[in-house]
Each structure stands twice: as structure tokens, then as C-alpha cells.
Amino acid sequence: MTATLIEVKDLKKVYGVEEDSAVYALDGMNASVDRGEFAAIMGPSGSGKSTLMNILGCLDTPSAGQYILDGRDVSGLSKDDLADVRNQKIGFIFQSFNLLPRLSALDNVMLPLLYDTREAQPQEMQRQRAIAALESVGLGHRTGHHPNQLSGGQQQRVAIARALINQPPLILADEPTGNLDSRSSVEIMDLLHDLHKQGATIVMVTHEPDIARHAGRILCVRDGRLISDGRGGNNPCLAREVSA
């Protein structure tokens, strides 16, 4: 099994058909992430980091180039095939949590299991898996609570449990602490560190240097290209605060 989990080659995303009005959100991006890495993507507003994250999450497709995920080129897959890839290969953690307000924490965590096209499991087995996922993030006592009964940090823990439920090889975290206070942010980053120590591959978008420093590697994006890819403290994206 290859050590590389994510590889993008000459990735381009162009908006606009006419040449004089074309906008290159990504302009020849090349990067890779190995299994077990904890990488952060940084860049100013309009740099292309959100577009890159959408493509890595199979929420969008490139205009040109390749995106190879877990050994498979997913660049040109249909919407249905991309949905299957998202469900089986990727766990998402969003800034706004994206929990369904009418569902309990347990039911929110179980949602990915309902859309899994692989062999269906009995409902009780799904329920036990969801309970175990909530227990793993310290919320085994909050299974019946709805999002409005939980703090922001607890809602993000539910979202992390949901991201883990299908045991995906990749976790994508998009500004995971953006809506949290400083204490909750520390708790969520500690939890992400624990997942990383257990072998999870995490790719995180953030505009906060203090949060980015938690990652072992920072990919700095500007003008749709990767301008720096380092594990040290000299990354240009850490030189100053960058806007989201």
C-alpha cells in the first residue's frame, strides 16, 4: 500500500468561459500528503485554499489536472461516484458544525451510515457504532441531546464523531475552531492531536497561525499555487496574520 494518500498534479480550477474573463482559482497546483500526516493549508482570502479543500473533499472537480485519493484518480468521477467516495473515504469537520438541529447527537453521528452504499448493517449495530464514536470524543453522556442543547465545543465534538463513524482514511477539517472560544479551541485541537497519534490523516484549513502551528506541516497557498511547503517555522503564511 502506497504511503501517499493525497496527490494533486497540475491541478487547475477555472471560473469563466471566455479567456479574458477567466479566473484561475487554482493555477497548476502540485502537492501530496502521506498517510498519517497532519497538514494545515493556509493562505489569504482568494488564494485558492477553499477551492482546493472542496476538490480534496470531492465536493467539486478540477478543470484540469489530477486528484489521486487513496490510489484512485477521482478527478473525472460522476456526482454519484464522488458521493460514494466522500462517504467511504472522507470525514468532514466544518467550522459551522453542520449538524441537523432536529436530530439528536446520536442520530447526527449515524447519518453517514445511512448513506453508505456498502453492505448495510443492522440498525442496532449502527447505533452501537455511533455511541462508541461519541464516547471516543467524550460525549457518551450526551447521545440524546440536540445541537441547541450543546455548547459550541460539544457540537464540534459531535461533528468529529460523525467524521469518524465510517473510519475514513482522510479527515478534512475546514476552520474547525473558527466558531469556538479559546478554551474550546484548545480542547478540539487536543482531540485532533489524539486522533493523529492514533494514525488518522488530517488536512486542516485555517487562517489562524496559532492553530496552524499544531500541524506538523504547513502548505502555504497564494494565487492558486503552492508557494511554500514546510515543517519549520519559516513558512510565509506564519509571518503575519492572514485573512480567511
Side-chain angles (χ1 to χ4, degrees), residues 3 6 12 28 39 50 63 72 86 94 104 114 118 121 127 138 156 160 181 185 201-202 206 215 230 233 244:
I6 289 174
K12 294 185 178 183
S50 295
S63 302
R72 181 184 184 186
R86 287 196 301 271
F94 298 99
S104 67
L114 302 179
R118 294 168 294 187
Q121 293 182 337
R127 184 174 179 276
Q156 193 61 292
I160 291 173
D181 59 35
S185 295
T201 304
I202 302 172
T206 182

Side-chain angles (χ1 to χ4, degrees), residues 41-237:
I41 300 173
M42 295 190 75
S45 179
S47 63
K49 65 183 187 295
S50 295
T51 301
L52 176 60
M53 196 67 155
N54 285 339
I55 291 176
L56 294 182
C58 293
L59 297 168
D60 199 358
T61 54
S63 302
Q66 287 182 294
Y67 171 31
I68 299 170
L69 172 61
D70 202 15
R72 181 184 184 186
D73 188 345
V74 299
S75 311
L77 295 183
S78 67
K79 290 183 178 181
D80 287 344
D81 287 339
L82 285 174
D84 287 341
V85 171
R86 287 196 301 271
N87 185 266
Q88 297 170 18
K89 298 289 186 181
I90 305 169
F92 291 94
I93 305 170
F94 298 99
Q95 176 179 349
S96 56
F97 319 134
N98 286 14
L99 302 178
L100 296 184
R102 295 186 179 182
L103 297 185
S104 67
L106 183 65
D107 288 335
N108 267 287
V109 173
M110 289 176 63
L111 277 176
L113 299 176
L114 302 179
Y115 295 100
D116 194 341
T117 57
R118 294 168 294 187
E119 184 177 356
Q121 293 182 337
Q123 187 171 8
E124 181 57 27
M125 185 178 295
Q126 293 181 354
R127 184 174 179 276
Q128 292 304 317
R129 284 178 60 182
I131 291 173
L134 283 167
E135 289 175 343
S136 74
V137 298
L139 287 181
H141 60 303
R142 292 285 191 268
T143 58
H145 286 64
H146 287 70
N148 64 357
Q149 297 172 308
L150 302 171
S151 69
Q154 289 172 331
Q155 290 184 65
Q156 193 61 292
R157 286 175 178 267
V158 173
I160 291 173
R162 181 183 59 192
L164 298 174
I165 191 67
N166 274 336
Q167 300 178 318
L170 174 64
I171 295 175
L172 293 180
D174 191 358
E175 300 282 3
T177 62
N179 282 344
L180 302 179
D181 59 35
S182 57
R183 180 178 177 181
S184 296
S185 295
V186 170
E187 293 175 351
I188 292 303
M189 292 312 302
D190 285 345
L191 181 53
L192 291 180
H193 275 297
D194 288 343
L195 295 175
H196 179 233
K197 290 176 182 177
Q198 295 167 23
T201 304
I202 302 172
V203 177
M204 172 180 68
V205 163
T206 182
H207 69 279
E208 302 176 67
D210 288 347
I211 296 299
R213 287 189 179 94
H214 284 269
R217 175 183 174 199
I218 299 173
L219 289 77
C220 188
V221 178
R222 194 160 295 165
D223 297 327
R225 296 187 178 189
L226 184 68
I227 65 167
S228 178
D229 178 1
R231 295 169 174 81
N234 296 322
N235 196 295
C237 279

